[in-house]
């Protein structure tokens, strides 16, 4: 039903799949998949489609819409307010999670450096004549070598990310 509605409304608006794709910032194949019922747009994309078509989401979903009355408009506005509050809360929660992930990354990087200094590369004194210790030693050395070269850039990026995602008071 949704796929048929998207196709019918798109054609009634005189839009090609390519034009609709440009409006929605997706590729034309995505529009084709929706219209053939191979996939469905998520809730945010449904809202974007309804805005592009200047049509309510309920029409896209196939619901017959009766003419709105004053009480209906009030109820709809209350529902929209609740939805907007939920979306704002979700965005804030997502931003907080990302912020704390950046902080955790900073802490992990800051903790691994002293650990590497304290350990002082113990694998360098291993007996490399045994294949098992040779392989493990090479793996440890490569991980340490890679960490020492990548971690400073990751730390700077994590600090910048933590600053950019902090709550603004």
């Amino acid at each position: 039903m949704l796929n048929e509605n998207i196709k019918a409304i798109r054609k009634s608006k005189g839009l090609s799949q390519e034009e609709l794709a440009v409006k929605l910032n997706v590729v034309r194949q995505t529009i084709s998949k929706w219209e053939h019922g191979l996939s469905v747009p998520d809730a945010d994309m449904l809202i974007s489609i309804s805005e592009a078509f200047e049509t309510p989401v309920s029409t896209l979903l196939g619901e017959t819409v009766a003419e709105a009355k004053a009480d209906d408009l009030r109820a709809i506005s209350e529902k929209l307010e609740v939805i907007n509050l939920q979306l704002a809360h979700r965005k804030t929660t997502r931003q907080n999670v990302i912020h704390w992930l950046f902080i955790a990354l900073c802490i992990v990087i800051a903790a691994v450096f002293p650990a590497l200094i304290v350990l002082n590369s113990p694998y360098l004194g291993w007996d490399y004549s045994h294949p098992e210790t040779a392989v493990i030693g090479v793996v440890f050395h490569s991980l340490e070598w890679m960490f020492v070269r990548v971690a400073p850039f990751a730390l700077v990026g994590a600090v910048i990310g933590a600053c950019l995602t902090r709550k603004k008071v």
Side-chain angles (χ1 to χ4, degrees):
M1 170 89 61
L2 173 64
N3 58 339
E4 296 164 355
N5 290 343
I6 291 175
K7 186 174 185 176
I9 296 171
R10 177 184 59 79
K11 286 186 175 184
S12 73
K13 298 286 184 180
L15 294 171
S16 68
Q17 286 183 346
E18 186 66 35
E19 291 168 331
L20 180 58
V22 168
K23 281 187 172 191
L24 299 174
N25 293 324
V26 297
V27 293
R28 185 202 56 79
Q29 290 81 354
T30 302
I31 306 296
S32 177
K33 285 181 181 180
W34 292 342
E35 290 183 357
H36 287 94
L38 299 175
S39 69
V40 293
D42 63 14
D44 291 335
M45 189 53 73
L46 273 176
I47 293 170
S48 299
I49 294 169
S50 73
E51 290 171 353
F53 286 158
E54 298 173 353
T55 289
V57 174
S58 56
T59 303
L60 286 173
L61 296 173
E63 181 180 308
T64 55
V65 180
E67 230 174 275
K69 299 176 185 166
D71 290 337
D72 291 342
L73 289 176
R74 186 172 293 119
I76 291 172
S77 68
E78 289 172 0
K79 287 179 184 177
L80 284 175
E81 184 177 348
V82 168
I83 291 171
N84 283 336
L85 289 172
Q86 289 172 342
L87 289 174
H89 178 69
R90 186 182 306 164
K91 180 180 177 185
T92 303
T93 302
R94 186 178 312 130
Q95 184 176 0
N96 283 340
V97 167
I98 292 171
H99 176 74
W100 287 107
L101 285 175
F102 279 129
I103 290 175
L105 180 61
C106 291
I107 292 169
V108 167
I109 291 171
V112 170
F113 267 116
L116 289 176
I117 291 170
V118 168
L119 291 175
N120 197 21
S121 306
Y123 54 83
L124 294 178
W126 288 356
D127 178 14
Y128 280 87
S129 62
H130 297 293
E132 296 85 15
T133 56
V135 170
I136 294 172
V138 169
V139 168
F140 279 149
H141 182 68
S142 346
L143 291 175
E144 183 181 59
W145 184 87
M146 197 64 162
F147 180 81
V148 168
R149 277 141 186 86
V150 173
F153 297 108
L155 182 62
V156 169
V159 168
I160 291 171
C163 290
L164 292 176
T165 57
R166 75 179 191 281
K167 282 186 181 178
K168 295 180 175 66
V169 179

